[in-house]
Amino acid sequence: MPELPEVETIVRRYRPDLEGRRIVGFASYCPQQVRPGVASFRRAIVGQTITRLTRRAKYILAHLDRGGLLLHLGMSGRLEWSDAVGFDGRHVRAAWELDNGRRLVFCDPRKFGRIRYVRDLKDFGTALGPEPLESDFSVTVLGRLLGRHRRQLKPLLLDQSVIAGLGNIYADEVLFRARLHPTTRSDQLTGREVRRLHQAIRQVLRQAIAYQGTSFDWAYAGGRMQTRLQVYGRAGRPCPRCRTPIARIRVAQRSTHLCPQCQPADGRAPAS
DNA sequence: TGAATTGTTATCGT
DNA sequence: AACGATAACAATTC
């Protein structure tokens, strides 16, 4: 399930092959994933050159001469070249033909992904929270975001309008490394805890990018971060810090992994 | 068969 | 009213 590090990895991988290329054709095999309709989408993008490939939150942004193309991978979306060895043609939902004859394919078994054209990329992203790896994402900024709400930490971290890019895996990893319980109220953190949370967010995301993301199953391949996860998917196994078995609970309808010893519910973390 | 996943939207409660 | 929590929904695999 691509979160910020996986999307960043994909953008870096495809950037050299896409920047400067002109789109000469587009096909959709799942029209409900394309906005606006397929016809106007195709009309808007065909003939345009991809000037830059960037990321915002979990979106891939293909900047065009006029406007831009947004791709959200949902939970099972991926990009492939149709001429790649071992290319799996199942679940192809859309394809772009490029001026060098190659065909970029969007595969998405669960169809949660979205493809959009916007006339101006500047209008996009205004409803999204700050990028946690940007230099302006300071401890002060995080403190203000936390204090503005009285919500449980985990759903707050997953809320893309508060902070952009975290998903279920990295939210759990962040809270473990910050030694904070997922249901702690966001407005009740001490200054020290805000600092720990800030550091954990940036460390986890940077490390995950360095490892090219997490590969659990067919949804995303090539990453190695799954070997570095400390709590996610590790229920019942010993905590890397204190050997207490990792617990799995449900918070805001999401499965949540934590160490009951290192992340106590009363918010008082033990001395490090 | 139920659980798992994201983001959006609707609905309920305080 | 505004905010937060909750549920439903889209679709598929294991």
Side-chain angles (χ1 to χ4, degrees), chain A residues 48-272:
Chain A
Q48 293 214 58
T49 297
I50 300 170
T51 54
R52 296 176 63 210
L53 198 71
T54 62
R55 179 193 58 77
R56 171 81 170 102
K58 302 175 191 173
Y59 289 84
I60 298 169
L61 279 62
H63 303 242
L64 305 174
D65 304 316
R66 284 169 287 107
L69 198 163
L70 303 175
L71 182 60
H72 195 291
L73 300 171
M75 59 177 292
S76 65
R78 60 181 197 273
L79 288 174
E80 305 222 25
W81 294 107
S82 65
D83 59 6
V85 283
F87 167 68
D88 179 1
R90 290 176 300 171
H91 312 303
V92 172
R93 307 302 179 203
W96 291 265
E97 277 178 60
L98 304 178
D99 62 350
N100 59 354
R102 295 190 87 188
R103 191 172 156 88
L104 182 69
V105 171
F106 174 61
C107 302
D108 185 16
R110 296 184 189 173
K111 302 184 179 178
F112 283 15
R114 288 292 175 265
I115 303 168
R116 269 165 64 193
Y117 171 78
V118 291
R119 298 189 144 187
D120 192 347
L121 281 176
K122 300 248 181 349
D123 299 335
F124 169 73
T126 52
L128 292 169
E131 284 290 326
L133 290 180
E134 290 294 305
S135 53
D136 57 1
F137 184 74
S138 60
V139 175
T140 310
V141 166
L142 177 61
R144 271 198 220 109
L145 290 171
L146 295 167
R148 187 179 298 167
H149 301 272
R150 313 151 132 198
R151 295 173 65 183
Q152 296 178 327
L153 283 180
K154 169 132 184 197
L156 191 87
L157 291 179
L158 291 175
D159 188 333
Q160 303 298 297
S161 71
V162 177
I163 299 173
L166 289 174
N168 207 36
I169 296 175
Y170 297 120
D172 283 1
E173 293 298 308
V174 162
L175 289 170
F176 171 75
R177 288 177 214 216
R179 307 199 304 280
L180 293 168
H181 193 278
T183 62
T184 306
R185 295 291 190 136
S186 61
D187 60 340
Q188 289 178 353
L189 298 197
T190 66
R192 179 171 303 180
E193 288 169 334
V194 174
R195 188 168 288 277
R196 285 212 308 266
L197 183 58
H198 178 265
Q199 180 168 276
I201 291 170
R202 290 170 66 107
Q203 276 185 354
V204 165
L205 292 176
R206 285 215 192 90
Q207 184 187 17
I209 291 172
Y211 280 85
Q212 297 178 70
T214 301
S215 296
F216 260 129
D217 47 28
W218 43 269
Y220 176 83
R224 303 185 317 278
M225 184 64 187
Q226 63 277 9
T227 66
R228 290 292 179 272
L229 299 180
Q230 308 201 25
V231 289
Y232 186 87
R234 301 180 61 82
R237 306 179 62 177
C239 166
R241 285 184 81 242
C242 75
R243 319 313 292 172
T244 300
I246 297 298
R248 186 173 134 172
I249 63 173
R250 190 155 276 274
V251 178
Q253 323 305 124
R254 294 284 190 251
S255 75
T256 299
H257 310 74
L258 74 152
C259 171
Q261 177 74 26
C262 299
Q263 301 165 264
D266 62 12
R268 288 264 62 85
S272 65

Side-chain angles (χ1 to χ4, degrees), chain A residues 1-16:
Chain A
M1 328 93 226
E3 304 178 27
L4 186 155
E6 290 78 27
V7 177
E8 179 66 27
T9 301
I10 291 165
V11 165
R12 290 181 186 182
R13 180 174 304 154
Y14 283 89
R15 181 176 287 144

